[in-house]
Amino acid sequence: MDKNVQEERFTEMIKFTPPLYKQRYQFIKDLVWKYKPKKVADLGCADCTLLWMLKFCSCIEVLAGLDISSTPFKEGEHRLSPLPGDYLQPAERSLTVTLHHGSVAHKDPCMLGFDLITCIELIEHLEEPELEKFPEVVFGFMAPAMVVISTPNSEFNPLLPGVTPFRHPDHKFEWNRAEFQSWALNIARSYDYSVEFTGVGPPPTGMEEVGFCTQIGVFIRKYSQTSETARFEKPTKAAYKTVSIICYWKAGALVKLPWQGLSL
């Protein structure tokens, strides 16, 4: 079952306006408008809804999505493909959107050089070995200027009818705020990032002590990538399968390229 559909069922008794998943995506859009990243990757991109929303942000020139499941890519490709009007009106800027099939526990050079990497409701789906590798892959290897991680706040769960014990059957864990912050602060110290905590989905009046329904950590790299040599080995062997590349060119030409036999 789609994780956003499952979530909406659990939150019927507490009305989030807009829906909680839209609040998470809007949080990312607001960060993009504030910091103007040119290259953005979404890990665990699922049906590519966030990538589709970010496609319209004029500062972005490169978008990439990664997911362990290939099932949602067909819908994602359709959503990201040019509309009829795009062929008639030149784009504001050149934009390349690439979809990859693979695991966040593996390193691939296609994920190097990004300004912002988002992990929206991803980490709670990871098995323990994948979760252990996640910090080194994302913060050590990919090392973007900014990382945003969102995950359920288990302290909010008693307010959600039918949550037994987790919000989604594929979740391997759900952390309270202290657990998430301890994990995030340890990553920040280990990889030279700062981290700030916030969230979306406020609790009902009088129950503020449970915190946001979704907790969020915003990590910002302390060191300059251009002034410091790489601290980690950068492998050159591809670990992901490229599913699709969609190009919007400023001159007005657009093309969708399949992954088979692709070389650019």
Side-chain angles (χ1 to χ4, degrees):
M1 180 183 295
D2 180 87
K3 60 185 179 183
N4 292 332
V5 173
Q6 176 84 2
E7 180 180 75
E8 284 194 81
R9 289 183 179 181
F10 283 144
T11 56
E12 286 179 353
M13 298 298 292
I14 299 179
K15 298 296 183 182
F16 291 110
T17 306
L20 195 58
Y21 75 93
K22 290 186 178 181
Q23 292 188 41
R24 291 192 289 261
Y25 294 157
Q26 186 61 50
F27 181 89
I28 300 300
K29 281 191 68 176
D30 291 343
L31 280 181
V32 167
W33 286 120
K34 179 178 180 179
Y35 291 99
K36 301 294 190 295
K38 292 184 177 181
K39 299 182 66 176
V40 180
D42 184 30
L43 308 185
C45 62
D47 64 0
C48 302
T49 299
L50 178 57
L51 294 177
W52 175 80
M53 292 177 66
L54 296 179
K55 183 183 81 168
F56 301 100
C57 297
S58 59
C59 61
I60 297 177
E61 300 173 359
V62 175
L63 281 172
L66 174 69
D67 205 276
I68 191 64
S69 172
S70 60
T71 303
F73 279 131
K74 186 174 182 180
E75 180 180 351
E77 264 192 313
H78 176 74
R79 179 171 291 184
L80 293 167
S81 296
L83 299 172
D86 294 323
Y87 293 94
L88 302 174
Q89 183 176 357
E92 296 180 5
R93 84 295 189 195
S94 296
L95 172 66
T96 301
V97 185
T98 310
L99 301 180
H100 303 284
H101 179 211
S103 169
V104 294
H106 298 151
K107 301 175 182 178
D108 189 305
C110 71
M111 284 295 173
L112 296 176
F114 280 83
D115 304 308
L116 168 63
I117 287 180
T118 61
C119 308
I120 306 303
E121 307 299 278
L122 168 67
I123 60 172
E124 64 274 9
H125 292 270
L126 301 181
E127 299 282 358
E128 186 174 350
E130 296 173 312
L131 186 64
E132 289 178 356
K133 294 177 181 178
F134 177 87
E136 165 59 17
V137 173
V138 175
F139 294 88
F141 174 71
M142 297 178 185
M146 180 182 293
V147 179
V148 179
I149 298 176
S150 81
T151 191
N153 168 22
S154 65
E155 294 170 78
F156 200 102
N157 286 356
L159 304 184
L160 303 176
V163 175
T164 55
F166 300 143
R167 301 183 192 178
H168 191 280
D170 188 57
H171 287 185
K172 308 305 184 292
F173 62 88
E174 290 180 4
W175 283 332
N176 60 35
R177 285 171 291 175
E179 290 169 327
F180 176 58
Q181 291 178 19
S182 175
W183 178 81
L185 287 168
N186 184 57
I187 289 175
R189 286 190 295 267
S190 299
Y191 296 97
D192 292 331
Y193 280 76
S194 63
V195 60
E196 294 186 359
F197 300 101
T198 182
V200 295
T205 301
M207 307 191 75
E208 289 80 6
E209 71 279 359
V210 303
F212 291 104
C213 189
T214 293
Q215 52 186 333
I216 298 175
V218 179
F219 300 77
I220 298 178
R221 195 182 62 222
K222 292 180 179 179
Y223 66 90
S224 171
Q225 208 170 30
T226 57
S227 63
E228 182 174 306
T229 57
R231 303 179 305 153
F232 301 92
E233 180 184 359
K234 306 294 185 184
T236 57
K237 184 178 180 181
Y240 307 150
K241 177 180 178 180
T242 301
V243 176
S244 177
I245 297 181
I246 303 167
C247 300
Y248 292 73
W249 292 330
K250 193 172 183 179
L254 301 99
V255 62
K256 182 173 72 172
L257 304 172
W259 67 267
Q260 293 92 339
L262 180 65
S263 62
L264 294 181

